[in-house]
């Protein structure tokens, strides 16, 4: 561990990436394979491989106390050292005494980490940490603590460790990256590199792969300028999720690579019985299921490969996405109430497959992946056999009555084709009319490139416009907004008169809503019971997906999916938008 720590000190001492990787490569090569493997994990700033869910669960406070105790210094002295270093590991390196017989191997540290992770209770864990640090030299303790707190702070990203492994054992960076990606274990990748077996790396399920990202475009023409063979999907406004499915088990990971399965208890049931192991990429969206309860809806009925186009009607038959704000209530929850499941159901709109039937699909062109995805989702599934239905062309279907008692829909995101900017524009308007954000335009010949933002996926989203509006009336909210005024009716100017144009429920923070509630209660003109007419002083900026003519409000227009972008305390009510501007936006939308 001394050599490891000294290598880290040398890495910290240079800002040049090439030098950093050269130091790591030299260090790895000088070690046994076992030690090099463990070191590669530590050098990535983790005690355990990424794919493992093991954590040490030692609180910062306990670590702090142990360092204070072993150093014989007062809490004040430790606090002063912390202010100097800003990092508990560095503090330990500074204040811990150098004693004879100190010194650990990397493998001993690895073993100790395992013991700490399995120990129950903070007292048992602290005892093991104390024992470990007692045997460590100060510089070893410095890096042990840095690893325990998850950040070495020596300017070494995992990508540099990959480069160093490639350099140390004479492989291409691509091969090393690939093995690390598949395994989620840079230690194992190191071992395979050292043994010349990188090609043997097999996909390990249940650790998230990187997500392929999209580049924005400014015009429909640009959307068709990068590649010849474009497939088009709606851009759903939800959260990206990668589903890992194997033998009845299923986990969902977010774009930040966090596991989010618990927040969506209705999805595992719907996915876990896929006939194959699979990794699917898609968007979780708050979903409005079609109204005709009891009807059987066809979910998967299109393939890209046979070039059938989705009609607008088919796309709408599946139901439609609800605004992101509805989904927001479902995020970050460990427990989801039945009421919430009923009131804010979700659907998983799947648009890609990264792994299926034991094969990694990343290098296949999207055209192939789309075909495989259709097959994976269309295959009969156990849970549906006894209560579901099969559609006319063997498509997967679900029964709306059944949906209420557990599973949500797994929906193959409908695919469209566009060969001209005009077609793209049409699809864009249709997508927004369905309540979606815009379009995704994808190159049918492109591979799946995890973690990369390239020109193979393009995103076309355009806020129709935003309006500055004046709040005229407010209502109490529902659910967790029950005691606060969170529903705002708002208006634009028609001459010197304010005419209402919409109502928005969301977009402000809890703190802002609390402040606004206080203000509205103090500035109520008329209490209508369920509704308070308020002084027209508050200006909001609202965004919306499109605008319709409607009798609902006295302006004669209504906004679809209005959402509050922000409060505009910088604006006076007189500065709000006018009905002329509303007409102009409406006219533009008709073109
Ligand atoms: P943005 O978040 O604006 O950068 O747009 C990219 C995001 O759009 C992706 O990360 C997905 O979460 C989301 N998205 C919605 N629909 C799709 C789709 N059909 N294909 C790919 N990404 C989509």
């Amino acid at each position: 561990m001394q050599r490891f720590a000294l290598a880290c000190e040398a890495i910290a001492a240079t800002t040049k990436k090439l030098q950093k990787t050269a130091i790591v490569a030299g260090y790895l090569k000088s070690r046994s394979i076992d030690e090099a493997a463990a070191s590669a994990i530590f050098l990535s700033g983790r005690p355990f491989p990424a794919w493992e869910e093991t954590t040490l669960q030692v609180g910062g406070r306990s670590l702090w106390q142990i360092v204070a105790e072993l150093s014989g210094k007062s809490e004040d002295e430790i606090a002063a050292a912390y202010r100097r270093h800003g990092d508990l590991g560095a503090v330990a390196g500074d204040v811990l005494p150098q004693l004879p017989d100190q010194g650990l191997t990397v493998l001993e540290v690895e073993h100790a980490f395992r013991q700490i992770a399995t120990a129950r209770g903070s007292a048992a864990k602290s005892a093991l940490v104390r024992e470990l640090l007692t045997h460590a030299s100060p510089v070893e303790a410095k890096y042990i603590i840095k690893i325990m707190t998850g950040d070495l702070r020596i300017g070494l990203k995992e990508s540099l460790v990959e480069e160093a492994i490639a350099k140390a054992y004479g492989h291409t960076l691509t091969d090393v990256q690939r093995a690390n990606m598949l395994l989620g274990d840079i230690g194992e990748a190191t071992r395979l590199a050292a043994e010349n077996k990188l090609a043997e790396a097999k996909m390990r399920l249940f650790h998230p792969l990187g997500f392929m990202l999209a580049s924005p475009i400014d015009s429909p023409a640009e959307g068709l300028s990068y590649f010849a063979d474009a497939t088009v999907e709606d851009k759903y406004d939800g959260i990206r999720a990668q589903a890992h499915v194997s033998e009845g088990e299923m986990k969902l990971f977010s774009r930040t690579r966090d596991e989010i399965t618990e927040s969506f208890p209705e999805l595992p049931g719907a996915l876990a019985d896929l006939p194959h192991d699979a990794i699917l990429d898609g968007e979780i969206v708050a979903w409005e299921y079609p109204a005709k309860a009891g009807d059987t809806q066809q979910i998967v009925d299109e393939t890209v490969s046979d070039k059938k186009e989705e009609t607008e009607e088919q796309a709408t038959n599946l139901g439609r996405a609800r605004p992101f704000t509805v989904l927001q209530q479902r995020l970050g929850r460990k427990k989801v109430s039945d009421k919430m499941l009923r009131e804010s159901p979700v659907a998983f709109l799947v648009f890609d497959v990264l792994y299926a039937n034991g094969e990694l699909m990343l290098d296949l062109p999207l055209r192939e992946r789309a075909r495989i995805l259709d097959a994976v989702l269309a295959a009969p599934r156990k849970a549906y056999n006894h209560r579901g239905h099969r559609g006319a062309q063997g498509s997967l279907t679900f029964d709306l009555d059944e949906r209420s008692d557990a599973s949500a829909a797994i929906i193959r995101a409908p695919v469209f084709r566009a060969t001209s900017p005009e077609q793209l524009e049409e699809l864009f308007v249709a997508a927004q009319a369905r309540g979606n954000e815009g379009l995704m335009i994808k190159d049918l010949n492109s591979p799946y490139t995890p973690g990369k933002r390239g020109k193979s996926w393009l995103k076309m989203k355009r806020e129709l416009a935003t309006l500055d509006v004046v709040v005229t009336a407010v209502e109490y909210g529902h659910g967790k907004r029950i005691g606060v005024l969170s529903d705002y009716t708002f208006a634009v100017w028609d001459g010197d008169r304010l005419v209402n144009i919409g109502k928005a429920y969301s977009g402000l923070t809890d703190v802002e809503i609390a402040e606004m509630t206080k203000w509205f209660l103090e500035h109520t003109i008329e209490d209508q019971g369920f509704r308070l007419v308020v002084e027209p002083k508050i200006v909001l900026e609202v965004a919306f997906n499109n605008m319709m003519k409607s009798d609902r409000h006295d302006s004669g227009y209504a906004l679809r999916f209005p959402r509050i972008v922000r409060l505009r305390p910088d604006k006076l009510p007189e500065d709000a938008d006018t009905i002329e501007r509303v007409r102009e936006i409406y006219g533009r939308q008709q073109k």
Side-chain angles (χ1 to χ4, degrees):
M1 195 69 193
Q2 187 77 13
R3 279 173 176 247
F4 176 93
L6 293 178
C8 288
E9 296 279 88
I11 295 162
T14 172
T15 53
K16 299 208 174 69
K17 285 187 182 162
L18 266 178
Q19 276 183 15
K20 287 180 192 275
T21 51
I23 297 166
V24 178
Y27 166 78
L28 291 177
K29 263 193 103 156
S30 73
R31 306 282 81 203
S32 70
I33 293 181
D34 282 347
E35 271 204 30
S39 299
I41 297 168
F42 292 172
L43 285 166
S44 309
R46 333 167 187 274
F48 304 110
W51 71 273
E52 280 191 38
E53 280 161 36
T54 320
T55 50
L56 290 167
Q57 303 227 304
V58 176
R61 184 77 210 138
S62 314
L63 264 181
W64 178 284
Q65 278 168 347
I66 294 165
V67 171
E69 188 190 315
L70 294 180
S71 68
K73 299 212 184 297
S74 70
E75 289 258 340
D76 281 351
E77 285 170 301
I78 299 289
Y82 191 81
R83 279 195 295 277
R84 267 200 315 281
H85 294 289
D87 171 68
L88 190 61
V91 170
D94 195 8
V95 302
L96 291 180
Q98 178 97 49
L99 301 171
D101 297 335
Q102 282 175 332
L104 294 160
T105 67
V106 165
L107 295 179
E108 281 168 338
V109 175
E110 183 194 38
H111 180 69
F113 283 162
R114 293 261 165 223
Q115 284 186 313
I116 294 166
T118 39
R120 292 279 180 110
S122 58
K125 285 180 189 281
S126 290
L128 288 164
V129 175
R130 200 175 292 113
E131 170 83 11
L132 174 65
L133 293 180
T134 312
H135 288 102
S137 69
V139 72
E140 288 175 345
K142 173 176 178 177
Y143 285 96
I144 289 171
I145 290 177
K146 280 169 178 271
I147 296 165
M148 291 179 75
T149 49
D151 193 352
L152 294 183
R153 299 197 187 198
I154 55 172
L156 189 71
K157 286 191 305 211
E158 182 154 340
S159 56
L160 291 185
V161 181
E162 289 175 331
E163 273 179 43
I165 297 167
K167 195 179 285 182
Y169 305 107
H171 297 285
T172 65
L173 176 60
T174 319
D175 287 350
V176 175
Q177 281 172 333
R178 186 178 173 82
N180 186 26
M181 178 185 72
L182 296 180
L183 297 163
D185 185 342
I186 199 160
E188 194 58 24
T190 305
R191 182 184 302 282
L192 292 177
E195 292 170 349
N196 248 327
K197 291 183 186 160
L198 279 177
E200 289 179 19
K202 284 263 174 320
M203 180 67 212
R204 184 184 267 137
L205 284 166
F206 299 113
H207 75 90
L209 301 178
F211 290 84
M212 181 157 175
L213 303 172
S215 302
I217 52 163
D218 292 329
S219 66
E222 187 188 355
L224 297 172
S225 63
Y226 298 103
F227 39 83
D229 241 351
T231 182
V232 181
E233 294 157 9
D234 281 16
K235 182 175 192 304
Y236 302 93
D237 196 6
I239 58 159
R240 186 82 173 267
Q242 196 177 94
H244 289 231
V245 188
S246 174
E247 297 178 5
E249 203 188 337
M250 119 90 174
K251 281 185 183 168
L252 289 164
F253 298 96
S254 71
R255 197 161 137 175
T256 47
R257 300 184 175 222
D258 296 309
E259 201 197 320
I260 50 168
T261 322
E262 276 175 333
S263 299
F264 304 104
E266 65 266 63
L267 288 173
L271 268 173
D273 50 27
L274 283 186
H276 311 288
D277 290 0
I279 301 178
L280 305 176
D281 188 7
E283 188 92 351
I284 297 175
V285 186
W287 199 249
E288 184 179 311
Y289 287 88
K292 277 197 283 166
D295 268 8
T296 297
Q297 296 293 323
Q298 199 164 298
I299 303 183
V300 178
D301 58 356
E302 284 302 314
T303 59
V304 177
S305 48
D306 62 10
K307 305 256 164 67
K308 269 193 294 174
E309 277 173 37
E310 195 83 30
T311 64
E312 209 176 302
E313 193 190 353
Q314 277 167 326
T316 318
N317 269 347
L318 307 171
R320 58 185 291 147
R322 296 168 73 193
F324 181 74
T325 43
V326 179
L327 182 72
Q328 229 164 5
Q329 306 161 12
R330 297 283 311 263
L331 304 180
R333 287 179 185 270
K334 292 233 180 280
K335 283 258 173 300
V336 186
S337 66
D338 287 348
K339 181 162 174 278
M340 190 151 274
L341 286 176
R342 259 194 328 274
E343 289 179 358
S344 315
V346 298
F348 186 33
L349 277 291
V350 185
F351 45 73
D352 219 316
V353 57
L354 315 191
Y355 175 87
N357 310 334
E359 303 260 351
L360 203 64
M361 307 276 152
L362 304 182
D363 294 336
L364 295 180
L366 174 58
R367 179 193 315 281
E368 277 293 297
R369 300 201 306 277
R371 197 181 52 71
I372 293 163
L373 176 60
D374 290 337
V376 166
L377 290 181
R381 298 200 241 149
K382 263 185 278 153
Y384 287 94
N385 280 349
H386 63 282
R387 54 181 179 146
H389 305 261
R390 304 263 295 138
Q393 296 133 30
S395 336
L396 170 65
T397 57
F398 74 106
D399 188 312
L400 287 170
D401 286 340
E402 299 299 341
R403 192 180 50 72
S404 56
D405 66 57
S407 55
I410 308 301
I411 301 176
R412 166 60 160 113
V415 289
F416 308 95
R417 289 296 217 124
T419 48
S420 69
E422 290 72 32
Q423 283 174 341
L424 211 50
E425 183 73 42
E426 259 172 47
L427 287 175
F428 181 78
V429 171
Q432 290 213 321
R434 283 190 284 273
N436 296 326
E437 254 193 310
L439 298 177
M440 298 292 299
I441 306 154
K442 301 179 179 177
D443 182 357
L444 274 171
N445 295 317
S446 65
Y448 191 98
T449 46
K452 301 230 165 74
R453 190 184 301 283
K455 297 277 194 230
S456 300
W457 283 18
L458 305 171
K459 56 186 175 190
M460 177 173 170
K461 59 176 182 180
R462 174 173 8 114
E463 215 93 75
L464 190 57
T466 61
L467 280 177
D468 292 333
V469 296
V470 184
V471 180
T472 53
V474 295
E475 289 170 45
Y476 285 99
H478 303 278
K480 77 173 176 122
R481 299 264 156 91
I482 212 144
V484 287
L485 293 162
S486 61
D487 299 4
Y488 306 150
T489 300
F490 50 79
V492 292
W493 291 105
D494 185 357
D496 56 4
R497 204 165 63 95
L498 279 168
V499 288
N500 288 341
I501 185 163
K503 194 170 159 184
Y505 306 85
S506 52
L508 298 185
T509 64
D510 288 350
V511 173
E512 286 172 332
I513 291 175
E515 280 170 10
M516 292 318 303
T517 299
K518 189 159 173 284
W519 191 92
F520 286 132
L521 287 173
E522 286 163 3
H523 297 85
T524 297
I525 302 172
E526 189 192 347
D527 186 344
Q528 301 176 333
F530 74 103
R531 184 171 189 259
L532 308 177
V533 177
V534 295
E535 287 178 30
K537 292 272 167 61
I538 300 295
V539 182
L540 303 174
E541 185 179 343
V542 293
F544 48 94
N545 284 12
N546 57 14
M547 192 182 272
M548 296 157 300
K549 289 216 164 168
S550 155
D551 293 331
R552 190 164 1 135
H553 303 293
D554 48 8
S555 62
Y557 292 91
L559 307 178
R560 190 177 277 282
F561 298 130
R563 46 207 181 267
I564 301 170
V565 181
R566 61 184 72 87
L567 289 166
R568 296 301 305 254
D570 54 325
K571 292 209 169 188
L572 292 170
E574 300 86 286
D575 301 327
D577 279 309
T578 60
I579 193 78
E580 281 76 22
R581 172 144 162 79
V582 169
R583 290 192 191 115
E584 176 202 313
I585 295 171
Y586 181 78
R588 202 165 2 119
Q589 177 191 297
Q590 299 308 303
K591 284 192 189 131

